[in-house]
PDB file of all heavy atoms in Angstrom:
ATOM      1  N   GLY A   1       0.814  -1.223  -0.004  1.00  0.00           N
ATOM      2  CA  GLY A   1      -0.003  -0.004  -0.015  1.00  0.00           C
ATOM      3  C   GLY A   1       0.828   1.292  -0.015  1.00  0.00           C
ATOM      4  O   GLY A   1       0.428   2.307  -0.569  1.00  0.00           O
ATOM      5  N   LYS A   2       2.035   1.201   0.606  1.00  0.00           N
ATOM      6  CA  LYS A   2       2.916   2.350   0.597  1.00  0.00           C
ATOM      7  C   LYS A   2       3.448   2.613  -0.840  1.00  0.00           C
ATOM      8  O   LYS A   2       3.579   3.790  -1.229  1.00  0.00           O
ATOM      9  CB  LYS A   2       4.111   2.139   1.529  1.00  0.00           C
ATOM     10  CG  LYS A   2       3.705   2.075   3.000  1.00  0.00           C
ATOM     11  CD  LYS A   2       4.874   1.842   3.940  1.00  0.00           C
ATOM     12  CE  LYS A   2       4.458   1.655   5.389  1.00  0.00           C
ATOM     13  NZ  LYS A   2       3.676   2.703   5.952  1.00  0.00           N
ATOM     14  N   LEU A   3       3.656   1.557  -1.579  1.00  0.00           N
ATOM     15  CA  LEU A   3       4.069   1.732  -2.968  1.00  0.00           C
ATOM     16  C   LEU A   3       2.882   2.299  -3.797  1.00  0.00           C
ATOM     17  O   LEU A   3       3.061   3.192  -4.638  1.00  0.00           O
ATOM     18  CB  LEU A   3       4.479   0.404  -3.617  1.00  0.00           C
ATOM     19  CG  LEU A   3       5.738  -0.149  -3.035  1.00  0.00           C
ATOM     20  CD1 LEU A   3       5.950  -1.600  -3.518  1.00  0.00           C
ATOM     21  CD2 LEU A   3       6.965   0.696  -3.419  1.00  0.00           C
ATOM     22  N   PHE A   4       1.685   1.857  -3.551  1.00  0.00           N
ATOM     23  CA  PHE A   4       0.531   2.362  -4.262  1.00  0.00           C
ATOM     24  C   PHE A   4       0.273   3.853  -3.948  1.00  0.00           C
ATOM     25  O   PHE A   4      -0.106   4.613  -4.857  1.00  0.00           O
ATOM     26  CB  PHE A   4      -0.732   1.558  -3.903  1.00  0.00           C
ATOM     27  CG  PHE A   4      -0.737   0.121  -4.408  1.00  0.00           C
ATOM     28  CD1 PHE A   4      -1.520  -0.806  -3.836  1.00  0.00           C
ATOM     29  CD2 PHE A   4       0.135  -0.255  -5.443  1.00  0.00           C
ATOM     30  CE1 PHE A   4      -1.556  -2.123  -4.304  1.00  0.00           C
ATOM     31  CE2 PHE A   4       0.138  -1.537  -5.903  1.00  0.00           C
ATOM     32  CZ  PHE A   4      -0.709  -2.513  -5.328  1.00  0.00           C
ATOM     33  N   LEU A   5       0.516   4.278  -2.721  1.00  0.00           N
ATOM     34  CA  LEU A   5       0.365   5.703  -2.365  1.00  0.00           C
ATOM     35  C   LEU A   5       1.387   6.527  -3.140  1.00  0.00           C
ATOM     36  O   LEU A   5       1.079   7.635  -3.607  1.00  0.00           O
ATOM     37  CB  LEU A   5       0.540   5.928  -0.855  1.00  0.00           C
ATOM     38  CG  LEU A   5      -0.607   5.418   0.023  1.00  0.00           C
ATOM     39  CD1 LEU A   5      -0.279   5.549   1.490  1.00  0.00           C
ATOM     40  CD2 LEU A   5      -1.883   6.206  -0.300  1.00  0.00           C
ATOM     41  N   GLU A   6       2.602   6.011  -3.281  1.00  0.00           N
ATOM     42  CA  GLU A   6       3.630   6.748  -4.056  1.00  0.00           C
ATOM     43  C   GLU A   6       3.192   6.845  -5.505  1.00  0.00           C
ATOM     44  O   GLU A   6       3.377   7.880  -6.175  1.00  0.00           O
ATOM     45  CB  GLU A   6       4.943   6.059  -3.898  1.00  0.00           C
ATOM     46  CG  GLU A   6       6.094   6.786  -4.551  1.00  0.00           C
ATOM     47  CD  GLU A   6       6.450   8.109  -3.898  1.00  0.00           C
ATOM     48  OE1 GLU A   6       6.119   8.307  -2.677  1.00  0.00           O
ATOM     49  OE2 GLU A   6       6.987   8.960  -4.607  1.00  0.00           O
ATOM     50  N   ILE A   7       2.621   5.751  -6.042  1.00  0.00           N
ATOM     51  CA  ILE A   7       2.177   5.757  -7.460  1.00  0.00           C
ATOM     52  C   ILE A   7       1.046   6.782  -7.577  1.00  0.00           C
ATOM     53  O   ILE A   7       0.989   7.498  -8.616  1.00  0.00           O
ATOM     54  CB  ILE A   7       1.741   4.349  -7.890  1.00  0.00           C
ATOM     55  CG1 ILE A   7       3.002   3.504  -8.094  1.00  0.00           C
ATOM     56  CG2 ILE A   7       0.911   4.393  -9.159  1.00  0.00           C
ATOM     57  CD1 ILE A   7       2.783   2.056  -8.350  1.00  0.00           C
ATOM     58  N   GLU A   8       0.163   6.868  -6.627  1.00  0.00           N
ATOM     59  CA  GLU A   8      -0.907   7.868  -6.702  1.00  0.00           C
ATOM     60  C   GLU A   8      -0.359   9.274  -6.735  1.00  0.00           C
ATOM     61  O   GLU A   8      -0.814  10.095  -7.493  1.00  0.00           O
ATOM     62  CB  GLU A   8      -1.871   7.701  -5.533  1.00  0.00           C
ATOM     63  CG  GLU A   8      -2.788   6.527  -5.663  1.00  0.00           C
ATOM     64  CD  GLU A   8      -3.812   6.478  -4.520  1.00  0.00           C
ATOM     65  OE1 GLU A   8      -4.451   7.513  -4.239  1.00  0.00           O
ATOM     66  OE2 GLU A   8      -3.939   5.410  -3.941  1.00  0.00           O
ATOM     67  N   LYS A   9       0.704   9.509  -5.958  1.00  0.00           N
ATOM     68  CA  LYS A   9       1.377  10.852  -6.039  1.00  0.00           C
ATOM     69  C   LYS A   9       1.937  11.125  -7.420  1.00  0.00           C
ATOM     70  O   LYS A   9       1.770  12.217  -7.960  1.00  0.00           O
ATOM     71  CB  LYS A   9       2.446  10.975  -4.983  1.00  0.00           C
ATOM     72  CG  LYS A   9       2.006  11.016  -3.556  1.00  0.00           C
ATOM     73  CD  LYS A   9       3.214  11.049  -2.629  1.00  0.00           C
ATOM     74  CE  LYS A   9       2.831  10.782  -1.201  1.00  0.00           C
ATOM     75  NZ  LYS A   9       3.997  10.648  -0.315  1.00  0.00           N
ATOM     76  N   LEU A  10       2.587  10.151  -7.968  1.00  0.00           N
ATOM     77  CA  LEU A  10       3.146  10.298  -9.305  1.00  0.00           C
ATOM     78  C   LEU A  10       2.086  10.529 -10.358  1.00  0.00           C
ATOM     79  O   LEU A  10       2.206  11.428 -11.215  1.00  0.00           O
ATOM     80  CB  LEU A  10       3.987   9.048  -9.697  1.00  0.00           C
ATOM     81  CG  LEU A  10       5.262   8.805  -8.896  1.00  0.00           C
ATOM     82  CD1 LEU A  10       5.834   7.419  -9.210  1.00  0.00           C
ATOM     83  CD2 LEU A  10       6.324   9.901  -9.225  1.00  0.00           C
ATOM     84  N   ALA A  11       1.006   9.758 -10.210  1.00  0.00           N
ATOM     85  CA  ALA A  11      -0.095   9.888 -11.183  1.00  0.00           C
ATOM     86  C   ALA A  11      -0.739  11.256 -11.104  1.00  0.00           C
ATOM     87  O   ALA A  11      -1.041  11.901 -12.098  1.00  0.00           O
ATOM     88  CB  ALA A  11      -1.139   8.772 -10.928  1.00  0.00           C
ATOM     89  N   LYS A  12      -0.946  11.745  -9.872  1.00  0.00           N
ATOM     90  CA  LYS A  12      -1.530  13.095  -9.713  1.00  0.00           C
ATOM     91  C   LYS A  12      -0.633  14.135 -10.304  1.00  0.00           C
ATOM     92  O   LYS A  12      -1.107  15.068 -11.003  1.00  0.00           O
ATOM     93  CB  LYS A  12      -1.723  13.400  -8.211  1.00  0.00           C
ATOM     94  CG  LYS A  12      -2.926  12.696  -7.617  1.00  0.00           C
ATOM     95  CD  LYS A  12      -2.988  13.028  -6.140  1.00  0.00           C
ATOM     96  CE  LYS A  12      -4.165  12.174  -5.528  1.00  0.00           C
ATOM     97  NZ  LYS A  12      -4.222  12.417  -4.052  1.00  0.00           N
ATOM     98  N   ALA A  13       0.700  14.024 -10.096  1.00  0.00           N
ATOM     99  CA  ALA A  13       1.639  14.986 -10.683  1.00  0.00           C
ATOM    100  C   ALA A  13       1.573  14.955 -12.189  1.00  0.00           C
ATOM    101  O   ALA A  13       1.819  15.940 -12.833  1.00  0.00           O
ATOM    102  CB  ALA A  13       3.063  14.716 -10.196  1.00  0.00           C
ATOM    103  N   GLU A  14       1.317  13.794 -12.785  1.00  0.00           N
ATOM    104  CA  GLU A  14       1.205  13.631 -14.236  1.00  0.00           C
ATOM    105  C   GLU A  14      -0.203  13.896 -14.757  1.00  0.00           C
ATOM    106  O   GLU A  14      -0.480  13.737 -15.945  1.00  0.00           O
ATOM    107  CB  GLU A  14       1.639  12.206 -14.643  1.00  0.00           C
ATOM    108  CG  GLU A  14       3.102  11.901 -14.316  1.00  0.00           C
ATOM    109  CD  GLU A  14       3.432  10.433 -14.453  1.00  0.00           C
ATOM    110  OE1 GLU A  14       2.529   9.625 -14.854  1.00  0.00           O
ATOM    111  OE2 GLU A  14       4.575  10.097 -14.219  1.00  0.00           O
ATOM    112  N   ARG A  15      -1.135  14.258 -13.860  1.00  0.00           N
ATOM    113  CA  ARG A  15      -2.523  14.513 -14.226  1.00  0.00           C
ATOM    114  C   ARG A  15      -3.216  13.259 -14.777  1.00  0.00           C
ATOM    115  O   ARG A  15      -4.095  13.355 -15.669  1.00  0.00           O
ATOM    116  CB  ARG A  15      -2.683  15.681 -15.116  1.00  0.00           C
ATOM    117  CG  ARG A  15      -2.167  16.970 -14.489  1.00  0.00           C
ATOM    118  CD  ARG A  15      -2.331  18.151 -15.416  1.00  0.00           C
ATOM    119  NE  ARG A  15      -1.671  19.309 -14.909  1.00  0.00           N
ATOM    120  CZ  ARG A  15      -2.224  20.288 -14.243  1.00  0.00           C
ATOM    121  NH1 ARG A  15      -3.485  20.242 -13.921  1.00  0.00           N
ATOM    122  NH2 ARG A  15      -1.505  21.311 -13.842  1.00  0.00           N
ATOM    123  N   VAL A  16      -2.782  12.090 -14.335  1.00  0.00           N
ATOM    124  CA  VAL A  16      -3.370  10.795 -14.714  1.00  0.00           C
ATOM    125  C   VAL A  16      -4.663  10.656 -13.887  1.00  0.00           C
ATOM    126  O   VAL A  16      -4.693  10.884 -12.712  1.00  0.00           O
ATOM    127  CB  VAL A  16      -2.401   9.667 -14.455  1.00  0.00           C
ATOM    128  CG1 VAL A  16      -3.084   8.302 -14.569  1.00  0.00           C
ATOM    129  CG2 VAL A  16      -1.206   9.764 -15.430  1.00  0.00           C
ATOM    130  N   GLN A  17      -5.725  10.207 -14.553  1.00  0.00           N
ATOM    131  CA  GLN A  17      -7.015  10.060 -13.859  1.00  0.00           C
ATOM    132  C   GLN A  17      -7.268   8.671 -13.367  1.00  0.00           C
ATOM    133  O   GLN A  17      -8.127   8.421 -12.492  1.00  0.00           O
ATOM    134  CB  GLN A  17      -8.154  10.532 -14.743  1.00  0.00           C
ATOM    135  CG  GLN A  17      -8.004  12.005 -15.060  1.00  0.00           C
ATOM    136  CD  GLN A  17      -9.149  12.542 -15.909  1.00  0.00           C
ATOM    137  OE1 GLN A  17      -9.900  11.729 -16.467  1.00  0.00           O
ATOM    138  NE2 GLN A  17      -9.233  13.817 -16.061  1.00  0.00           N
ATOM    139  N   GLU A  18      -6.601   7.636 -13.952  1.00  0.00           N
ATOM    140  CA  GLU A  18      -6.777   6.275 -13.518  1.00  0.00           C
ATOM    141  C   GLU A  18      -5.576   5.436 -13.849  1.00  0.00           C
ATOM    142  O   GLU A  18      -4.866   5.735 -14.811  1.00  0.00           O
ATOM    143  CB  GLU A  18      -8.048   5.636 -14.124  1.00  0.00           C
ATOM    144  CG  GLU A  18      -8.100   5.844 -15.639  1.00  0.00           C
ATOM    145  CD  GLU A  18      -9.538   5.813 -16.202  1.00  0.00           C
ATOM    146  OE1 GLU A  18     -10.502   5.988 -15.454  1.00  0.00           O
ATOM    147  OE2 GLU A  18      -9.630   5.563 -17.416  1.00  0.00           O
ATOM    148  N   VAL A  19      -5.338   4.419 -13.018  1.00  0.00           N
ATOM    149  CA  VAL A  19      -4.225   3.494 -13.241  1.00  0.00           C
ATOM    150  C   VAL A  19      -4.833   2.119 -13.286  1.00  0.00           C
ATOM    151  O   VAL A  19      -5.893   1.830 -12.753  1.00  0.00           O
ATOM    152  CB  VAL A  19      -3.143   3.574 -12.130  1.00  0.00           C
ATOM    153  CG1 VAL A  19      -2.424   4.933 -12.180  1.00  0.00           C
ATOM    154  CG2 VAL A  19      -3.707   3.295 -10.774  1.00  0.00           C
ATOM    155  N   TYR A  20      -4.129   1.220 -14.023  1.00  0.00           N
ATOM    156  CA  TYR A  20      -4.635  -0.132 -14.250  1.00  0.00           C
ATOM    157  C   TYR A  20      -3.655  -1.183 -13.695  1.00  0.00           C
ATOM    158  O   TYR A  20      -2.498  -0.944 -13.549  1.00  0.00           O
ATOM    159  CB  TYR A  20      -4.845  -0.367 -15.752  1.00  0.00           C
ATOM    160  CG  TYR A  20      -5.812   0.597 -16.342  1.00  0.00           C
ATOM    161  CD1 TYR A  20      -5.362   1.824 -16.894  1.00  0.00           C
ATOM    162  CD2 TYR A  20      -7.164   0.325 -16.371  1.00  0.00           C
ATOM    163  CE1 TYR A  20      -6.261   2.732 -17.390  1.00  0.00           C
ATOM    164  CE2 TYR A  20      -8.086   1.218 -16.912  1.00  0.00           C
ATOM    165  CZ  TYR A  20      -7.594   2.448 -17.417  1.00  0.00           C
ATOM    166  OH  TYR A  20      -8.535   3.323 -17.911  1.00  0.00           O
ATOM    167  N   LEU A  21      -4.234  -2.360 -13.452  1.00  0.00           N
ATOM    168  CA  LEU A  21      -3.449  -3.476 -12.911  1.00  0.00           C
ATOM    169  C   LEU A  21      -4.049  -4.746 -13.460  1.00  0.00           C
ATOM    170  O   LEU A  21      -5.238  -4.921 -13.530  1.00  0.00           O
ATOM    171  CB  LEU A  21      -3.615  -3.417 -11.366  1.00  0.00           C
ATOM    172  CG  LEU A  21      -2.733  -4.325 -10.565  1.00  0.00           C
ATOM    173  CD1 LEU A  21      -2.351  -3.610  -9.269  1.00  0.00           C
ATOM    174  CD2 LEU A  21      -3.445  -5.613 -10.256  1.00  0.00           C
ATOM    175  N   SER A  22      -3.175  -5.653 -13.917  1.00  0.00           N
ATOM    176  CA  SER A  22      -3.580  -6.953 -14.473  1.00  0.00           C
ATOM    177  C   SER A  22      -3.154  -8.040 -13.462  1.00  0.00           C
ATOM    178  O   SER A  22      -2.037  -8.070 -12.996  1.00  0.00           O
ATOM    179  CB  SER A  22      -2.831  -7.132 -15.796  1.00  0.00           C
ATOM    180  OG  SER A  22      -2.908  -8.485 -16.251  1.00  0.00           O
ATOM    181  N   THR A  23      -4.104  -8.946 -13.141  1.00  0.00           N
ATOM    182  CA  THR A  23      -3.809  -9.970 -12.152  1.00  0.00           C
ATOM    183  C   THR A  23      -4.788 -11.133 -12.297  1.00  0.00           C
ATOM    184  O   THR A  23      -5.824 -10.998 -12.986  1.00  0.00           O
ATOM    185  CB  THR A  23      -3.952  -9.361 -10.714  1.00  0.00           C
ATOM    186  OG1 THR A  23      -3.553 -10.316  -9.735  1.00  0.00           O
ATOM    187  CG2 THR A  23      -5.396  -8.901 -10.418  1.00  0.00           C
ATOM    188  N   ASP A  24      -4.484 -12.217 -11.599  1.00  0.00           N
ATOM    189  CA  ASP A  24      -5.423 -13.309 -11.491  1.00  0.00           C
ATOM    190  C   ASP A  24      -5.971 -13.429 -10.048  1.00  0.00           C
ATOM    191  O   ASP A  24      -6.743 -14.300  -9.742  1.00  0.00           O
ATOM    192  CB  ASP A  24      -4.825 -14.632 -11.954  1.00  0.00           C
ATOM    193  CG  ASP A  24      -3.567 -15.021 -11.188  1.00  0.00           C
ATOM    194  OD1 ASP A  24      -3.087 -14.302 -10.311  1.00  0.00           O
ATOM    195  OD2 ASP A  24      -3.040 -16.104 -11.470  1.00  0.00           O
ATOM    196  N   HIS A  25      -5.515 -12.452  -9.187  1.00  0.00           N
ATOM    197  CA  HIS A  25      -5.978 -12.437  -7.812  1.00  0.00           C
ATOM    198  C   HIS A  25      -7.384 -11.857  -7.721  1.00  0.00           C
ATOM    199  O   HIS A  25      -7.727 -10.904  -8.423  1.00  0.00           O
ATOM    200  CB  HIS A  25      -5.057 -11.644  -6.940  1.00  0.00           C
ATOM    201  CG  HIS A  25      -3.712 -12.291  -6.738  1.00  0.00           C
ATOM    202  ND1 HIS A  25      -3.546 -13.381  -5.929  1.00  0.00           N
ATOM    203  CD2 HIS A  25      -2.481 -12.024  -7.267  1.00  0.00           C
ATOM    204  CE1 HIS A  25      -2.258 -13.723  -5.914  1.00  0.00           C
ATOM    205  NE2 HIS A  25      -1.614 -12.917  -6.708  1.00  0.00           N
ATOM    206  N   ILE A  26      -8.167 -12.375  -6.780  1.00  0.00           N
ATOM    207  CA  ILE A  26      -9.455 -11.819  -6.466  1.00  0.00           C
ATOM    208  C   ILE A  26      -9.456 -11.513  -4.988  1.00  0.00           C
ATOM    209  O   ILE A  26      -9.036 -12.374  -4.173  1.00  0.00           O
ATOM    210  CB  ILE A  26     -10.612 -12.840  -6.791  1.00  0.00           C
ATOM    211  CG1 ILE A  26     -10.611 -13.155  -8.286  1.00  0.00           C
ATOM    212  CG2 ILE A  26     -11.938 -12.265  -6.323  1.00  0.00           C
ATOM    213  CD1 ILE A  26     -11.592 -14.236  -8.693  1.00  0.00           C
ATOM    214  N   GLY A  27      -9.834 -10.301  -4.613  1.00  0.00           N
ATOM    215  CA  GLY A  27      -9.965  -9.916  -3.204  1.00  0.00           C
ATOM    216  C   GLY A  27      -8.693  -9.309  -2.622  1.00  0.00           C
ATOM    217  O   GLY A  27      -8.675  -8.956  -1.452  1.00  0.00           O
ATOM    218  N   LEU A  28      -7.643  -9.174  -3.415  1.00  0.00           N
ATOM    219  CA  LEU A  28      -6.389  -8.606  -2.905  1.00  0.00           C
ATOM    220  C   LEU A  28      -6.345  -7.060  -3.138  1.00  0.00           C
ATOM    221  O   LEU A  28      -6.179  -6.296  -2.249  1.00  0.00           O
ATOM    222  CB  LEU A  28      -5.226  -9.256  -3.515  1.00  0.00           C
ATOM    223  CG  LEU A  28      -3.830  -8.709  -3.202  1.00  0.00           C
ATOM    224  CD1 LEU A  28      -3.553  -8.819  -1.668  1.00  0.00           C
ATOM    225  CD2 LEU A  28      -2.736  -9.490  -3.937  1.00  0.00           C
ATOM    226  N   TYR A  29      -6.497  -6.701  -4.374  1.00  0.00           N
ATOM    227  CA  TYR A  29      -6.291  -5.298  -4.773  1.00  0.00           C
ATOM    228  C   TYR A  29      -7.510  -4.417  -4.408  1.00  0.00           C
ATOM    229  O   TYR A  29      -7.374  -3.197  -4.267  1.00  0.00           O
ATOM    230  CB  TYR A  29      -5.905  -5.164  -6.217  1.00  0.00           C
ATOM    231  CG  TYR A  29      -4.587  -5.836  -6.473  1.00  0.00           C
ATOM    232  CD1 TYR A  29      -4.519  -7.075  -7.095  1.00  0.00           C
ATOM    233  CD2 TYR A  29      -3.420  -5.287  -6.018  1.00  0.00           C
ATOM    234  CE1 TYR A  29      -3.282  -7.697  -7.295  1.00  0.00           C
ATOM    235  CE2 TYR A  29      -2.211  -5.875  -6.193  1.00  0.00           C
ATOM    236  CZ  TYR A  29      -2.122  -7.102  -6.815  1.00  0.00           C
ATOM    237  OH  TYR A  29      -0.950  -7.720  -7.017  1.00  0.00           O
ATOM    238  N   GLU A  30      -8.645  -5.027  -4.183  1.00  0.00           N
ATOM    239  CA  GLU A  30      -9.833  -4.269  -3.727  1.00  0.00           C
ATOM    240  C   GLU A  30      -9.570  -3.576  -2.409  1.00  0.00           C
ATOM    241  O   GLU A  30     -10.095  -2.502  -2.170  1.00  0.00           O
ATOM    242  CB  GLU A  30     -11.016  -5.192  -3.613  1.00  0.00           C
ATOM    243  CG  GLU A  30     -11.532  -5.801  -4.924  1.00  0.00           C
ATOM    244  CD  GLU A  30     -10.848  -7.080  -5.358  1.00  0.00           C
ATOM    245  OE1 GLU A  30      -9.766  -7.386  -4.871  1.00  0.00           O
ATOM    246  OE2 GLU A  30     -11.410  -7.771  -6.229  1.00  0.00           O
ATOM    247  N   LYS A  31      -8.690  -4.168  -1.596  1.00  0.00           N
ATOM    248  CA  LYS A  31      -8.362  -3.574  -0.270  1.00  0.00           C
ATOM    249  C   LYS A  31      -7.664  -2.235  -0.419  1.00  0.00           C
ATOM    250  O   LYS A  31      -7.652  -1.429   0.524  1.00  0.00           O
ATOM    251  CB  LYS A  31      -7.378  -4.505   0.512  1.00  0.00           C
ATOM    252  CG  LYS A  31      -7.908  -5.798   0.872  1.00  0.00           C
ATOM    253  CD  LYS A  31      -6.839  -6.638   1.558  1.00  0.00           C
ATOM    254  CE  LYS A  31      -7.016  -8.064   1.402  1.00  0.00           C
ATOM    255  NZ  LYS A  31      -5.920  -8.843   1.910  1.00  0.00           N
ATOM    256  N   TYR A  32      -7.107  -2.007  -1.603  1.00  0.00           N
ATOM    257  CA  TYR A  32      -6.370  -0.739  -1.865  1.00  0.00           C
ATOM    258  C   TYR A  32      -7.138   0.207  -2.787  1.00  0.00           C
ATOM    259  O   TYR A  32      -6.556   1.146  -3.321  1.00  0.00           O
ATOM    260  CB  TYR A  32      -5.003  -1.094  -2.488  1.00  0.00           C
ATOM    261  CG  TYR A  32      -4.193  -1.964  -1.533  1.00  0.00           C
ATOM    262  CD1 TYR A  32      -4.080  -3.339  -1.784  1.00  0.00           C
ATOM    263  CD2 TYR A  32      -3.477  -1.419  -0.468  1.00  0.00           C
ATOM    264  CE1 TYR A  32      -3.334  -4.147  -0.913  1.00  0.00           C
ATOM    265  CE2 TYR A  32      -2.726  -2.194   0.362  1.00  0.00           C
ATOM    266  CZ  TYR A  32      -2.661  -3.559   0.144  1.00  0.00           C
ATOM    267  OH  TYR A  32      -1.919  -4.379   0.967  1.00  0.00           O
ATOM    268  N   GLY A  33      -8.421  -0.025  -2.936  1.00  0.00           N
ATOM    269  CA  GLY A  33      -9.272   0.874  -3.687  1.00  0.00           C
ATOM    270  C   GLY A  33      -9.394   0.566  -5.187  1.00  0.00           C
ATOM    271  O   GLY A  33      -9.932   1.343  -5.915  1.00  0.00           O
ATOM    272  N   PHE A  34      -8.844  -0.563  -5.631  1.00  0.00           N
ATOM    273  CA  PHE A  34      -9.005  -0.969  -6.987  1.00  0.00           C
ATOM    274  C   PHE A  34     -10.332  -1.620  -7.220  1.00  0.00           C
ATOM    275  O   PHE A  34     -10.865  -2.312  -6.327  1.00  0.00           O
ATOM    276  CB  PHE A  34      -7.924  -1.917  -7.415  1.00  0.00           C
ATOM    277  CG  PHE A  34      -6.563  -1.333  -7.531  1.00  0.00           C
ATOM    278  CD1 PHE A  34      -5.732  -1.200  -6.431  1.00  0.00           C
ATOM    279  CD2 PHE A  34      -6.102  -0.892  -8.768  1.00  0.00           C
ATOM    280  CE1 PHE A  34      -4.489  -0.638  -6.497  1.00  0.00           C
ATOM    281  CE2 PHE A  34      -4.828  -0.284  -8.845  1.00  0.00           C
ATOM    282  CZ  PHE A  34      -4.014  -0.177  -7.724  1.00  0.00           C
ATOM    283  N   GLU A  35     -10.940  -1.406  -8.404  1.00  0.00           N
ATOM    284  CA  GLU A  35     -12.168  -2.023  -8.776  1.00  0.00           C
ATOM    285  C   GLU A  35     -12.017  -2.844 -10.027  1.00  0.00           C
ATOM    286  O   GLU A  35     -11.300  -2.422 -10.969  1.00  0.00           O
ATOM    287  CB  GLU A  35     -13.283  -0.981  -9.020  1.00  0.00           C
ATOM    288  CG  GLU A  35     -13.643  -0.207  -7.734  1.00  0.00           C
ATOM    289  CD  GLU A  35     -14.743   0.816  -7.966  1.00  0.00           C
ATOM    290  OE1 GLU A  35     -15.213   0.953  -9.124  1.00  0.00           O
ATOM    291  OE2 GLU A  35     -15.127   1.466  -6.957  1.00  0.00           O
TER     292      GLU A  35
END
């Protein structure tokens, strides 16, 4: 989650509105606000 917070800062600085993630996990990334 600390890495994800850093990525959010970078994305905001770049004016990115959304980031994507590819996985086969279910129930892991939802804890960090991914849908």
Side-chain angles (χ1 to χ4, degrees):
K2 294 179 185 304
L3 293 170
F4 293 160
L5 287 173
E6 186 66 24
I7 287 172
E8 285 185 48
K9 289 179 193 173
L10 292 169
K12 284 178 186 176
E14 296 170 1
R15 299 181 191 262
V16 168
Q17 295 181 349
E18 50 204 21
V19 294
Y20 299 91
L21 189 144
S22 167
T23 186
D24 58 358
H25 291 287
I26 298 173
L28 175 60
Y29 296 105
E30 292 87 342
K31 297 178 208 174
Y32 300 101
F34 288 86
E35 294 182 358

